[in-house]
Coordinates of all heavy atoms in Angstrom, one line a residue:
M2 N 14.7 -2.2 -5.1 CA 14.1 -1.7 -4.0 C 12.8 -1.0 -4.3 O 11.8 -1.1 -3.5 CB 15.0 -0.8 -3.3 CG 14.6 -0.2 -2.0 SD 14.2 -1.4 -0.8 CE 15.4 -1.1 0.4
A3 N 12.8 -0.3 -5.5 CA 11.5 0.4 -5.7 C 10.4 -0.5 -5.9 O 9.2 -0.3 -5.6 CB 11.8 1.3 -7.0
S4 N 10.7 -1.6 -6.6 CA 9.7 -2.6 -6.9 C 9.2 -3.3 -5.6 O 8.0 -3.6 -5.4 CB 10.0 -3.7 -7.8 OG 11.2 -4.5 -7.4
E5 N 10.1 -3.5 -4.7 CA 9.7 -4.0 -3.3 C 8.8 -3.1 -2.6 O 7.8 -3.6 -2.0 CB 10.9 -4.4 -2.5 CG 11.8 -5.5 -3.0 CD 13.1 -5.5 -2.2 OE1 13.3 -4.9 -1.3 OE2 14.0 -6.3 -2.8
V6 N 9.1 -1.8 -2.6 CA 8.2 -0.8 -1.9 C 6.8 -0.8 -2.6 O 5.8 -0.8 -1.9 CB 8.8 0.6 -2.0 CG1 7.9 1.6 -1.6 CG2 10.1 0.6 -1.2
R7 N 6.7 -0.9 -4.0 CA 5.5 -0.9 -4.6 C 4.7 -2.2 -4.3 O 3.4 -2.1 -4.0 CB 5.7 -0.7 -6.1 CG 5.9 0.6 -6.6 CD 5.8 0.8 -8.1 NE 6.8 0.0 -8.9 CZ 8.0 0.4 -9.1 NH1 8.4 1.6 -8.8 NH2 8.9 -0.3 -9.8
Q8 N 5.4 -3.3 -4.2 CA 4.8 -4.6 -3.9 C 4.2 -4.4 -2.4 O 3.1 -5.0 -2.1 CB 5.7 -5.7 -4.0 CG 6.0 -6.1 -5.4 CD 7.1 -7.2 -5.5 OE1 7.7 -7.5 -4.5 NE2 7.3 -7.7 -6.7
Q9 N 5.0 -3.9 -1.5 CA 4.5 -3.7 -0.1 C 3.3 -2.8 0.0 O 2.3 -3.2 0.7 CB 5.7 -3.3 0.7 CG 5.3 -3.3 2.3 CD 6.4 -2.8 3.2 OE1 7.6 -2.7 2.7 NE2 6.1 -2.6 4.4
A10 N 3.4 -1.8 -0.7 CA 2.2 -0.9 -0.8 C 1.0 -1.6 -1.3 O -0.2 -1.6 -0.8 CB 2.5 0.4 -1.6
Q11 N 1.1 -2.3 -2.4 CA 0.0 -3.0 -2.8 C -0.5 -4.1 -2.0 O -1.8 -4.3 -1.8 CB 0.4 -3.7 -4.3 CG -0.7 -4.4 -5.0 CD -0.3 -4.9 -6.3 OE1 0.9 -5.0 -6.6 NE2 -1.3 -5.2 -7.1
A12 N 0.4 -4.8 -1.4 CA 0.0 -5.8 -0.4 C -0.8 -5.2 0.8 O -1.7 -5.8 1.3 CB 1.2 -6.6 0.1
E13 N -0.4 -4.0 1.2 CA -1.1 -3.3 2.3 C -2.3 -2.4 1.9 O -2.8 -1.7 2.6 CB 0.0 -2.4 3.2 CG 1.0 -3.1 3.8 CD 2.0 -2.3 4.3 OE1 1.8 -1.0 4.5 OE2 3.0 -2.8 4.7
K14 N -2.5 -2.5 0.6 CA -3.6 -1.7 0.1 C -3.4 -0.3 0.2 O -4.4 0.5 0.6 CB -4.9 -2.2 0.4 CG -5.3 -3.6 -0.1 CD -6.6 -4.1 0.2 CE -6.9 -5.4 -0.4 NZ -7.4 -6.4 0.2
Q15 N -2.2 0.2 0.2 CA -1.8 1.6 0.3 C -1.5 2.2 -1.1 O -1.1 1.5 -2.0 CB -0.6 1.8 1.2 CG -0.7 1.1 2.6 CD -1.7 1.9 3.5 OE1 -2.0 3.1 3.2 NE2 -2.3 1.1 4.4
T16 N -1.7 3.6 -1.2 CA -1.4 4.3 -2.4 C -0.2 5.2 -2.2 O -0.3 6.0 -1.3 CB -2.6 5.2 -2.8 OG1 -3.8 4.2 -2.9 CG2 -2.4 6.0 -4.1
L17 N 0.8 5.0 -3.0 CA 1.9 5.9 -3.0 C 1.5 7.2 -3.7 O 1.2 7.0 -4.9 CB 3.2 5.2 -3.6 CG 3.6 3.9 -2.9 CD1 4.9 3.4 -3.7 CD2 4.0 4.2 -1.5
L18 N 1.5 8.3 -3.0 CA 1.0 9.4 -3.6 C 2.1 10.2 -4.3 O 3.1 10.6 -3.8 CB 0.4 10.3 -2.5 CG -0.6 9.7 -1.7 CD1 -0.9 10.5 -0.3 CD2 -2.0 9.7 -2.4
V19 N 1.8 10.4 -5.7 CA 2.8 11.1 -6.5 C 2.6 12.6 -6.3 O 1.6 13.1 -5.9 CB 2.8 10.7 -7.9 CG1 3.1 9.1 -8.1 CG2 1.4 10.9 -8.5
A20 N 3.7 13.3 -6.6 CA 3.6 14.8 -6.5 C 4.7 15.3 -7.5 O 5.6 14.6 -7.9 CB 4.0 15.2 -5.1
E21 N 4.5 16.5 -7.9 CA 5.5 17.2 -8.7 C 6.5 17.9 -7.9 O 6.4 19.2 -7.7 CB 4.7 18.2 -9.7 CG 3.8 17.5 -10.8 CD 3.2 18.4 -11.7 OE1 3.8 19.5 -12.0 OE2 2.2 18.0 -12.3
N22 N 7.4 17.2 -7.3 CA 8.5 17.7 -6.6 C 9.8 17.0 -6.9 O 9.7 16.1 -7.8 CB 8.2 17.8 -5.0 CG 7.9 16.5 -4.5 OD1 8.4 15.3 -5.1 ND2 7.3 16.3 -3.4
K23 N 10.9 17.3 -6.4 CA 12.2 16.6 -6.6 C 12.1 15.2 -6.4 O 12.8 14.4 -7.0 CB 13.3 17.3 -5.9 CG 13.5 18.7 -6.4 CD 14.7 19.3 -5.6 CE 15.0 20.7 -6.1 NZ 16.1 21.4 -5.4
T24 N 11.3 14.7 -5.4 CA 11.3 13.3 -5.1 C 10.3 12.5 -5.8 O 10.3 11.3 -6.0 CB 11.1 13.1 -3.6 OG1 9.7 13.5 -3.3 CG2 12.1 13.7 -2.7
G25 N 9.2 13.2 -6.3 CA 8.2 12.5 -7.0 C 7.0 11.9 -6.2 O 6.1 11.4 -6.7
Y26 N 7.2 12.2 -4.8 CA 6.1 11.7 -3.9 C 5.7 12.8 -3.1 O 6.4 13.6 -2.6 CB 6.7 10.6 -3.1 CG 7.0 9.3 -3.9 CD1 8.4 9.0 -4.1 CD2 6.1 8.5 -4.3 CE1 8.7 7.9 -4.8 CE2 6.4 7.4 -5.0 CZ 7.7 7.0 -5.2 OH 8.0 5.9 -6.0
F27 N 4.4 12.8 -2.7 CA 3.7 13.6 -1.8 C 4.3 13.4 -0.4 O 4.3 12.2 0.0 CB 2.1 13.4 -1.8 CG 1.5 14.1 -0.7 CD1 1.1 15.5 -0.9 CD2 1.1 13.5 0.4 CE1 0.4 16.1 0.1 CE2 0.4 14.1 1.4 CZ 0.0 15.5 1.2
G28 N 4.6 14.5 0.3 CA 5.1 14.4 1.7 C 6.5 13.9 1.9 O 7.0 13.7 3.0
V29 N 7.2 13.9 0.8 CA 8.6 13.3 0.8 C 9.5 14.5 0.3 O 9.3 15.1 -0.8 CB 8.8 12.1 0.0 CG1 10.3 11.7 0.1 CG2 7.9 11.0 0.5
S30 N 10.6 14.7 1.2 CA 11.5 15.8 0.6 C 12.9 15.2 0.8 O 13.2 14.3 1.5 CB 11.3 17.1 1.4 OG 11.6 16.8 2.9
L31 N 13.9 15.8 0.1 CA 15.3 15.3 0.1 C 16.1 16.3 1.0 O 16.0 17.5 0.7 CB 15.8 15.3 -1.3 CG 17.3 14.9 -1.5 CD1 17.4 13.4 -1.0 CD2 17.7 15.0 -2.9
D32 N 16.7 15.8 1.9 CA 17.5 16.6 2.9 C 18.7 17.1 2.1 O 19.4 16.3 1.5 CB 17.9 15.8 4.1 CG 18.5 16.6 5.2 OD1 19.3 17.6 4.9 OD2 18.3 16.4 6.4
P33 N 19.0 18.4 2.1 CA 20.0 18.9 1.3 C 21.4 18.7 1.8 O 22.4 18.9 1.2 CB 19.7 20.4 1.2 CG 19.0 20.7 2.5 CD 18.1 19.5 2.7
R34 N 21.5 18.3 3.1 CA 22.8 17.9 3.6 C 23.3 16.7 3.0 O 22.8 15.6 3.0 CB 22.7 17.8 5.1 CG 22.3 19.0 5.8 CD 22.1 18.8 7.3 NE 20.8 18.1 7.5 CZ 20.3 17.9 8.6 NH1 20.9 18.3 9.9 NH2 19.1 17.4 8.8
A35 N 24.6 16.9 2.4 CA 25.2 15.8 1.7 C 25.7 14.7 2.7 O 26.0 15.0 3.8 CB 26.3 16.3 0.9
G36 N 25.9 13.5 2.1 CA 26.4 12.4 2.9 C 25.5 11.7 3.8 O 26.0 10.7 4.6
R37 N 24.2 12.0 3.9 CA 23.3 11.3 4.8 C 23.0 9.9 4.3 O 22.7 9.8 3.0 CB 22.0 12.1 5.0 CG 22.2 13.3 5.8 CD 20.8 14.0 6.1 NE 20.0 13.1 6.8 CZ 19.7 13.4 8.1 NH1 20.1 14.4 8.7 NH2 19.0 12.6 8.8
S38 N 22.9 8.9 5.1 CA 22.7 7.5 4.6 C 21.1 7.4 4.4 O 20.7 6.5 3.6 CB 23.1 6.5 5.6 OG 22.5 6.6 6.8
K39 N 20.4 8.2 5.1 CA 19.0 8.3 4.9 C 18.5 9.7 4.7 O 18.0 10.4 5.6 CB 18.2 7.8 6.2 CG 18.5 6.3 6.4 CD 17.8 5.8 7.7 CE 18.1 4.3 7.8 NZ 17.3 3.8 9.0
P40 N 18.6 10.1 3.3 CA 18.3 11.5 3.1 C 16.9 11.9 2.8 O 16.6 13.1 2.7 CB 19.1 11.7 1.7 CG 19.1 10.4 1.1 CD 19.1 9.4 2.2
Y41 N 16.0 10.9 2.8 CA 14.6 11.2 2.4 C 13.7 11.4 3.6 O 13.7 10.5 4.4 CB 14.0 10.3 1.4 CG 14.7 10.2 0.1 CD1 15.7 9.5 -0.2 CD2 14.3 11.1 -1.0 CE1 16.5 9.4 -1.4 CE2 15.0 11.2 -2.1 CZ 16.0 10.3 -2.3 OH 16.7 10.3 -3.6
Q42 N 13.1 12.5 3.8 CA 12.3 12.8 5.0 C 10.8 12.7 4.6 O 10.4 13.2 3.6 CB 12.5 14.1 5.5 CG 11.8 14.4 6.9 CD 12.0 15.7 7.5 OE1 12.6 16.7 6.7 NE2 12.0 15.9 8.8
A43 N 10.0 12.0 5.4 CA 8.6 11.9 5.2 C 8.0 12.8 6.3 O 8.3 12.8 7.5 CB 8.1 10.4 5.6
R44 N 7.0 13.6 5.7 CA 6.4 14.7 6.6 C 4.9 14.8 6.3 O 4.6 14.7 5.1 CB 7.0 16.0 6.5 CG 8.6 16.0 6.9 CD 9.1 17.4 6.8 NE 9.1 18.0 5.6 CZ 9.6 19.2 5.3 NH1 10.2 19.9 6.2 NH2 9.5 19.7 4.1
V45 N 4.1 15.0 7.3 CA 2.6 15.3 7.1 C 2.3 16.4 8.0 O 3.0 16.8 9.0 CB 1.8 14.1 7.4 CG1 2.2 12.9 6.5 CG2 2.0 13.7 8.9
W46 N 1.2 17.1 7.7 CA 0.5 18.1 8.5 C -0.4 17.3 9.5 O -1.3 16.7 9.1 CB -0.2 19.1 7.7 CG 0.7 20.1 7.0 CD1 1.1 19.9 5.7 CD2 1.2 21.2 7.5 NE1 1.9 21.0 5.4 CE2 2.0 21.8 6.5 CE3 1.2 21.8 8.8 CZ2 2.8 23.0 6.7 CZ3 1.9 23.0 8.9 CH2 2.7 23.5 8.0
R47 N -0.2 17.6 10.8 CA -1.0 17.0 11.8 C -1.3 18.0 12.8 O -0.4 18.6 13.4 CB -0.2 15.8 12.4 CG -1.0 15.0 13.5 CD 0.0 13.8 14.0 NE 0.0 12.9 12.9 CZ 0.9 11.9 12.8 NH1 1.8 11.8 13.8 NH2 1.0 11.1 11.9
G48 N -2.7 18.3 13.0 CA -3.0 19.3 14.0 C -2.4 20.6 13.7 O -2.1 21.4 14.7
G49 N -2.4 21.0 12.5 CA -1.9 22.3 12.0 C -0.4 22.4 12.1 O 0.2 23.5 12.0
K50 N 0.4 21.3 12.4 CA 1.8 21.4 12.5 C 2.5 20.4 11.5 O 1.9 19.3 11.3 CB 2.3 21.0 13.8 CG 1.9 22.1 15.0 CD 2.4 21.7 16.2 CE 1.9 22.7 17.3 NZ 2.4 22.4 18.7
L51 N 3.5 20.8 10.9 CA 4.3 19.9 10.1 C 5.1 18.9 10.9 O 5.9 19.4 11.8 CB 5.1 20.7 9.1 CG 5.9 20.0 8.0 CD1 4.9 19.3 7.1 CD2 6.8 20.9 7.2
V52 N 4.8 17.6 10.8 CA 5.4 16.6 11.6 C 6.4 15.7 10.9 O 5.8 15.2 9.8 CB 4.3 15.8 12.4 CG1 4.8 14.6 13.2 CG2 3.4 16.7 13.1
S53 N 7.5 15.5 11.3 CA 8.4 14.5 10.7 C 8.0 13.0 11.0 O 7.8 12.8 12.2 CB 9.8 14.8 11.0 OG 10.6 13.8 10.4
L54 N 7.9 12.2 10.0 CA 7.7 10.7 10.2 C 8.9 10.0 10.2 O 8.9 8.8 10.5 CB 6.7 10.2 9.2 CG 5.3 10.9 9.2 CD1 4.4 10.3 8.0 CD2 4.6 10.8 10.5
G55 N 10.1 10.7 9.9 CA 11.3 10.0 9.9 C 12.1 10.2 8.6 O 11.6 10.8 7.7
Y56 N 13.4 9.6 8.6 CA 14.2 9.7 7.4 C 14.4 8.3 6.9 O 14.5 7.3 7.6 CB 15.6 10.3 7.9 CG 15.5 11.8 8.2 CD1 15.2 12.3 9.3 CD2 15.7 12.6 7.0 CE1 15.2 13.7 9.6 CE2 15.8 14.0 7.4 CZ 15.4 14.5 8.6 OH 15.4 15.9 8.8
F57 N 14.5 8.2 5.6 CA 14.6 6.9 5.0 C 15.7 6.9 3.8 O 16.1 7.9 3.3 CB 13.2 6.6 4.3 CG 12.1 6.6 5.4 CD1 11.5 7.7 5.7 CD2 11.8 5.4 6.0 CE1 10.5 7.6 6.7 CE2 10.8 5.4 6.9 CZ 10.1 6.5 7.3
A58 N 16.1 5.7 3.5 CA 17.2 5.6 2.5 C 16.7 5.9 1.0 O 17.4 6.4 0.2 CB 17.8 4.1 2.6
T59 N 15.4 5.6 0.8 CA 14.9 5.8 -0.6 C 13.6 6.7 -0.5 O 12.9 6.6 0.6 CB 14.6 4.5 -1.3 OG1 13.5 4.0 -0.6 CG2 15.8 3.6 -1.3
A60 N 13.3 7.3 -1.5 CA 12.1 8.1 -1.6 C 10.9 7.3 -1.5 O 9.8 7.6 -0.8 CB 12.0 9.0 -3.0
G61 N 10.9 6.0 -2.0 CA 9.8 5.1 -2.0 C 9.5 4.7 -0.6 O 8.3 4.5 -0.3
E62 N 10.6 4.4 0.2 CA 10.3 4.0 1.6 C 9.7 5.2 2.3 O 8.7 4.9 3.1 CB 11.6 3.7 2.3 CG 12.3 2.4 1.7 CD 13.7 2.2 2.3 OE1 14.4 3.1 2.5 OE2 14.0 1.0 2.4
A63 N 10.1 6.3 2.1 CA 9.5 7.5 2.8 C 8.0 7.7 2.3 O 7.1 8.0 3.1 CB 10.3 8.8 2.5
A64 N 7.8 7.5 1.1 CA 6.4 7.6 0.4 C 5.5 6.5 1.1 O 4.3 6.8 1.4 CB 6.4 7.5 -1.1
L65 N 6.0 5.3 1.3 CA 5.2 4.3 1.9 C 4.9 4.7 3.4 O 3.7 4.4 3.8 CB 6.0 2.9 1.8 CG 5.2 1.7 2.5 CD1 3.9 1.5 1.8 CD2 6.1 0.5 2.4
C66 N 5.8 5.2 4.1 CA 5.4 5.7 5.5 C 4.4 6.8 5.4 O 3.5 6.7 6.3 CB 6.8 6.3 6.1 SG 6.6 6.8 7.8
V67 N 4.4 7.7 4.5 CA 3.4 8.6 4.3 C 2.1 8.0 4.0 O 1.0 8.4 4.6 CB 3.7 9.8 3.3 CG1 2.6 10.7 3.0 CG2 5.0 10.5 3.8
A68 N 2.2 7.0 3.1 CA 0.8 6.4 2.7 C 0.2 5.6 4.0 O -1.0 5.4 3.9 CB 1.2 5.5 1.5
Q69 N 1.1 5.1 4.8 CA 0.6 4.4 5.9 C -0.1 5.4 7.1 O -0.8 4.8 7.9 CB 1.7 3.5 6.5 CG 2.1 2.4 5.6 CD 3.4 1.7 6.0 OE1 4.2 2.3 6.7 NE2 3.6 0.5 5.6
S70 N 0.3 6.6 7.0 CA -0.1 7.4 8.0 C -1.6 7.8 7.7 O -2.2 7.8 6.6 CB 0.6 8.8 8.0 OG 0.3 9.5 6.9
P71 N -2.3 8.2 8.9 CA -3.8 8.6 8.7 C -3.9 9.8 7.7 O -4.8 9.9 6.9 CB -4.2 8.9 10.0 CG -3.3 8.2 11.0 CD -2.0 8.1 10.2
E72 N -2.9 10.7 7.8 CA -2.9 11.9 6.9 C -2.8 11.5 5.4 O -3.4 12.0 4.5 CB -1.9 12.9 7.3 CG -2.1 13.4 8.7 CD -1.6 12.6 9.9 OE1 -1.1 11.5 9.6 OE2 -1.9 12.9 11.0
G73 N -1.8 10.5 5.2 CA -1.7 10.1 3.8 C -2.9 9.3 3.3 O -3.2 9.5 2.1
Q74 N -3.5 8.6 4.0 CA -4.8 7.8 3.7 C -5.9 8.7 3.4 O -6.6 8.5 2.4 CB -5.1 6.9 4.7 CG -4.0 5.7 4.9 CD -4.3 4.8 6.2 OE1 -5.4 4.8 6.7 NE2 -3.5 3.9 6.4
A75 N -5.9 9.8 4.1 CA -6.9 10.9 3.9 C -6.7 11.5 2.5 O -7.7 11.7 1.8 CB -7.0 11.9 5.0
V76 N -5.5 11.9 2.3 CA -5.2 12.5 0.9 C -5.5 11.5 -0.2 O -6.0 11.9 -1.2 CB -3.7 13.1 0.9 CG1 -3.3 13.5 -0.5 CG2 -3.5 14.2 1.9
A77 N -5.1 10.3 0.0 CA -5.4 9.3 -1.1 C -6.9 9.2 -1.3 O -7.3 9.0 -2.4 CB -4.8 7.9 -0.7
A78 N -7.7 9.2 -0.3 CA -9.1 9.1 -0.3 C -9.7 10.3 -1.1 O -10.5 10.2 -1.9 CB -9.8 8.8 1.0
E79 N -9.2 11.4 -0.8 CA -9.6 12.6 -1.5 C -9.3 12.6 -2.9 O -10.1 13.1 -3.8 CB -8.9 13.9 -0.8 CG -9.4 14.2 0.6 CD -8.6 15.3 1.3 OE1 -7.8 16.0 0.7 OE2 -8.7 15.5 2.5
R80 N -8.1 12.2 -3.3 CA -7.7 12.2 -4.6 C -8.5 11.2 -5.3 O -8.9 11.4 -6.6 CB -6.2 11.7 -4.8 CG -5.3 13.0 -4.4 CD -3.9 12.6 -4.6 NE -3.0 13.7 -4.3 CZ -1.6 13.7 -4.5 NH1 -1.1 12.6 -5.0 NH2 -0.9 14.8 -4.1
A81 N -8.8 10.0 -4.8 CA -9.6 9.0 -5.4 C -11.0 9.5 -5.7 O -11.7 9.2 -6.7 CB -9.7 7.7 -4.5
A82 N -11.5 10.2 -4.7 CA -12.9 10.8 -4.9 C -13.0 11.8 -6.0 O -13.9 11.8 -6.7 CB -13.4 11.3 -3.6
A83 N -11.9 12.6 -6.0 CA -11.9 13.6 -7.1 C -11.7 13.1 -8.4 O -12.2 13.5 -9.5 CB -10.7 14.6 -6.8
A84 N -11.1 11.9 -8.5 CA -10.8 11.3 -9.9 C -11.9 10.3 -10.3 O -11.9 9.8 -11.4 CB -9.5 10.5 -9.8
A85 N -12.8 10.0 -9.4 CA -13.9 9.0 -9.7 C -14.7 9.5 -10.8 O -15.1 10.7 -10.8 CB -14.7 8.8 -8.4
P86 N -15.0 8.6 -11.7 CA -15.9 9.1 -12.8 C -17.3 9.3 -12.3 O -17.8 8.8 -11.3 CB -15.9 7.9 -13.8 CG -15.5 6.8 -12.9 CD -14.7 7.3 -11.8
L87 N -18.0 10.2 -12.9 CA -19.4 10.6 -12.6 C -20.3 9.3 -13.0 O -20.1 8.7 -14.1 CB -19.8 11.8 -13.4 CG -19.2 13.0 -13.1 CD1 -19.7 14.1 -14.0 CD2 -19.3 13.5 -11.6
T88 N -21.3 9.2 -12.2 CA -22.3 8.1 -12.5 C -23.3 8.8 -13.6 O -23.2 10.1 -13.8 CB -23.2 7.8 -11.3 OG1 -23.9 9.0 -10.9 CG2 -22.4 7.2 -10.2
S89 N -24.1 8.0 -14.3 CA -24.9 8.7 -15.4 C -25.9 9.7 -14.8 O -26.1 10.7 -15.4 CB -25.6 7.5 -16.1 OG -26.4 6.8 -15.1
E90 N -26.3 9.4 -13.5 CA -27.2 10.4 -12.8 C -26.5 11.6 -12.5 O -27.0 12.8 -12.7 CB -27.8 9.7 -11.5 CG -28.8 10.6 -10.8 CD -30.0 10.9 -11.6 OE1 -30.5 10.1 -12.4 OE2 -30.6 12.0 -11.4
E91 N -25.2 11.6 -12.1 CA -24.4 12.7 -11.8 C -24.2 13.6 -12.9 O -24.2 14.7 -13.1 CB -23.2 12.4 -11.0 CG -23.4 11.8 -9.7 CD -22.1 11.2 -9.1 OE1 -21.2 10.7 -9.9 OE2 -21.9 11.3 -7.8
A92 N -23.9 12.8 -14.1 CA -23.6 13.6 -15.4 C -24.9 14.3 -15.8 O -24.7 15.4 -16.4 CB -23.1 12.5 -16.4
R93 N -26.1 13.7 -15.7 CA -27.2 14.4 -16.1 C -27.5 15.7 -15.3 O -28.1 16.7 -15.8 CB -28.4 13.5 -16.0 CG -28.5 12.5 -17.1 CD -29.9 11.8 -17.0 NE -29.5 10.3 -17.3 CZ -29.7 9.4 -16.4 NH1 -30.4 9.6 -15.3 NH2 -29.3 8.2 -16.7
Q94 N -27.1 15.8 -14.1 CA -27.3 17.0 -13.2 C -26.3 18.0 -13.6 O -26.4 19.1 -13.7 CB -27.2 16.6 -11.8 CG -28.2 15.7 -11.3 CD -28.0 15.2 -9.8 OE1 -27.0 15.6 -9.3 NE2 -28.9 14.4 -9.3

C-alpha cells in the first residue's frame, strides 16, 4: 500500500511531506481512540483554523490528501525553495 501511495503521489507530481512526528508525515496525526478502521487524520491550517481533511486507513493515504491540498502544496513549495542550492551569483553575494 505504501508503494502505491508513493506511485500515485509521483504520478500526480505531489510531494509527500515528511515530519518528525509519530506518523512521519506533515499534517497527519494518529487518532488515539483504539479500534478505528481509519485512524489517521489529515489536517491543515486554513484561514487561521485547523481543518480536518478526513480520516484514512494509512498514514500515507492521509499524507497524499495533505499533499493534494492547496496548503500542502504551499508548504512543499516553501520547503523546495528553502532547500534549493544557491546559484553562483547568490553565493557571491
Side-chain angles (χ1 to χ4, degrees):
M2 182 60 113
S4 64
E5 292 172 12
V6 169
R7 282 192 296 272
Q8 288 174 352
Q9 185 176 350
Q11 186 176 12
E13 295 178 10
K14 296 185 171 137
Q15 302 293 337
T16 302
L17 298 179
L18 301 167
V19 296
E21 292 186 22
N22 61 24
K23 290 181 182 181
T24 67
Y26 293 106
F27 171 81
V29 178
S30 61
L31 182 61
D32 191 320
R34 294 177 281 187
R37 290 186 63 106
S38 62
K39 295 182 178 183
Y41 295 96
Q42 184 179 22
R44 299 186 299 181
V45 296
W46 285 96
R47 184 175 290 161
K50 295 182 181 181
L51 190 58
V52 176
S53 175
L54 301 177
Y56 287 88
F57 300 86
T59 68
E62 291 170 328
L65 182 58
C66 181
V67 170
Q69 293 167 335
S70 73
E72 296 82 5
Q74 291 174 11
V76 170
E79 289 171 12
R80 288 186 180 182
L87 296 176
T88 64
S89 58
E90 182 63 31
E91 291 170 329
R93 281 188 225 122
Q94 296 174 355

